[in-house]
């Protein structure tokens, strides 16, 4: 370590992963994530339990990040944290920790917008997208089309007006009797099914916006009617049901993505967030990229789901601009890009 080296400890605690990462001169050294399994039996994230689990996990996660990086606390140039958007109680744990750490060590504090960090996850490893590019951020909490002009200049050009697409995956999965989070299970069963077996709605919103609440209701009524005729309808048709639901969700995502790329005349395409793990989405996007000459960027799964490495990457860019935060900062459950 040189005195000119920029070394940052970054913390993520916006939802149900407690994570810490160390970045030196823009290179991520590690990404320690403690996943909270306590939520599984409740069928979704319970905010109060998430806050408590963050409290338990934060110090061990930070200690592991420091230990495995070989960096000492006194060598850090700054500490970064997720300010929002996210669950208030969950954010408070990371914000309070980072503030206390910065105060004790007398080093700068850097706030990071979680959604900006999802996009900047593309800069952790090669190949990196060229500016300007369009990023489709798809997770359990968000669905956004982002026009990225430079590392810290981003504009939301489309977003969901109700549920996030990950939420639509998880809620329809729940209707099929699948445990939380149901997205990966829909993906798995869909592989053996016919995506055209059942006709679920493809909602078209104005401009580049999305709506995913309609499909949940459509699936609910469809299943209610079918189960009256045949109580085994779900188990007899699970693969076709999953494939058809997934088909509608992917179609909705891609219709707007295609429209955005056309409108802005851009061929650099990135996807981020937990739903970008979906194999149907990856396959269809890869085919579209080949047909249309797009350059497609999909980060490693570890950097798609919530993680502190992406917070560290965003913090590095902010450090270069001396974009620091006051010790009076508070979290923002809703935070605009
Ligand atoms: O980004 P993420 O880990 O957490 C946030 O919501 O911020 O995303 C989690 C979401 C969940 O809704 C989960 O069901 C969905 O990503 N997901 C998937 C797949 N893997 C994760 N959805 C569909 N197919 C998958 N393979
Ligand atoms: Zn996220």
């Amino acid at each position: 370590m040189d005195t000119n080296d920029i070394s940052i400890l970054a913390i993520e605690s916006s939802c149900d992963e407690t994570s810490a990462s160390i970045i030196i001169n823009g290179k991520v050294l590690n990404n320690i994530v403690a996943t909270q399994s306590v939520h599984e039996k409740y069928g979704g994230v319970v905010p109060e339990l998430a806050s408590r689990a963050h409290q338990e996990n934060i110090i061990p996660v930070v200690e592991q990040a420091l230990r495995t990086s070989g960096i000492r606390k006194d060598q850090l140039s700054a500490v970064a944290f997720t300010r929002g958007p996210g669950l208030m109680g969950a954010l408070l744990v990371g914000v309070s920790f980072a503030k206390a750490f910065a105060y004790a060590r007398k080093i700068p504090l850097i706030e990071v917008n979680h959604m900006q960090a999802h996009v900047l996850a593309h800069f952790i490893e090669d190949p990196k997208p060229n500016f300007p590019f369009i990023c489709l951020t798809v997770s359990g909490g968000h669905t956004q089309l982002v026009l990225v002009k430079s590392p810290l200049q981003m504009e939301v050009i489309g977003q969901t007006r109700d549920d996030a697409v990950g939420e639509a995956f998880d809620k329809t999965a729940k209707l099929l009797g699948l445990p939380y989070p149901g997205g990966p299970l829909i993906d798995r069963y869909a592989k053996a099914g016919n995506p055209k077996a059942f006709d679920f709605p493809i909602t078209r919103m104005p401009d580049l916006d999305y709506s995913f609440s309609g499909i949940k209701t459509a699936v609910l009524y469809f299943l209610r009617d079918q189960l009256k005729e045949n109580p085994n309808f779900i188990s007899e048709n699970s693969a076709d049901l999953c494939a058809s639901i997934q088909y509608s969700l992917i179609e909705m995502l891609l219709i707007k993505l295609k429209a955005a790329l056309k409108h802005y005349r851009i061929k650099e395409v990135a996807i981020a967030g937990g739903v970008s793990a979906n194999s149907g989405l990856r396959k269809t996007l890869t085919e579209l990229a080949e047909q249309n000459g797009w350059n497609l960027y999909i980060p490693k799964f570890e950097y798609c789901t919530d993680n502190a490495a992406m917070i560290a990457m965003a913090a590095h860019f902010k450090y270069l601009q001396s974009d620091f935060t006051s010790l009076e900062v508070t979290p923002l459950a809703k935070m605009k890009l």
Side-chain angles (χ1 to χ4, degrees), residues 114 118 139-141 166-167 169-170 181-184 187 273-275 277-278 304-306:
H114 181 87
H118 266 303
S139 73
E167 221 176 329
F169 266 104
D170 297 338
D187 187 1
V275 179
N278 184 269
C304 280
T305 54
D306 289 348

Side-chain angles (χ1 to χ4, degrees), residues 8-48:
I8 305 171
L9 163 67
I11 309 293
E12 155 65 29
S13 74
S14 65
C15 190
D16 60 342
E17 323 272 7
T18 320
S19 182
S21 169
I22 305 277
I23 188 169
I24 297 195
N25 299 326
K27 192 176 179 317
V28 166
L29 297 192
N30 54 23
N31 180 40
I32 312 299
V33 184
T35 303
Q36 306 179 356
S37 52
V38 60
H39 308 287
E40 273 163 27
K41 57 178 176 288
Y42 298 98
V45 176
V46 184
E48 168 86 19

Side-chain angles (χ1 to χ4, degrees), residues 84-122:
L87 302 169
M88 181 48 85
L91 290 165
L92 270 166
V93 178
V95 176
S96 305
F97 172 86
K99 283 168 73 162
F101 195 94
Y103 183 58
R105 299 237 52 92
K106 300 187 178 60
I107 53 173
L109 183 63
I110 303 176
E111 67 174 66
V112 171
N113 180 308
H114 181 87
M115 299 312 292
Q116 192 170 48
H118 266 303
V119 174
L120 294 175
H122 287 94

Side-chain angles (χ1 to χ4, degrees), residues 240-258:
D240 283 349
L241 282 164
C242 289
S244 303
I245 291 168
Q246 180 167 299
Y247 174 80
S248 286
L249 292 173
I250 294 175
E251 270 301 295
M252 286 191 257
L253 287 176
L254 296 183
I255 287 169
K256 297 295 172 138
L257 175 64
K258 280 188 265 185

Side-chain angles (χ1 to χ4, degrees), residues 57-93:
N57 295 338
I58 186 113
I59 301 286
V61 158
V62 167
E63 293 223 307
Q64 199 182 337
L66 284 166
R67 199 169 54 243
T68 57
S69 71
I71 304 287
R72 295 190 315 271
K73 287 190 199 87
D74 63 294
Q75 291 175 307
L76 289 168
S77 327
V79 57
F81 65 95
T82 303
R83 186 177 181 194
L87 302 169
M88 181 48 85
L91 290 165
L92 270 166
V93 178

Side-chain angles (χ1 to χ4, degrees), residues 26 28 120-129 299-300 302-303 313:
V28 166
L120 294 175
H122 287 94
F123 293 86
I124 297 172
E125 288 186 336
D126 287 329
K128 301 177 174 101
K300 226 194 242 169
E302 175 186 1
Y303 302 136
M313 197 66 241

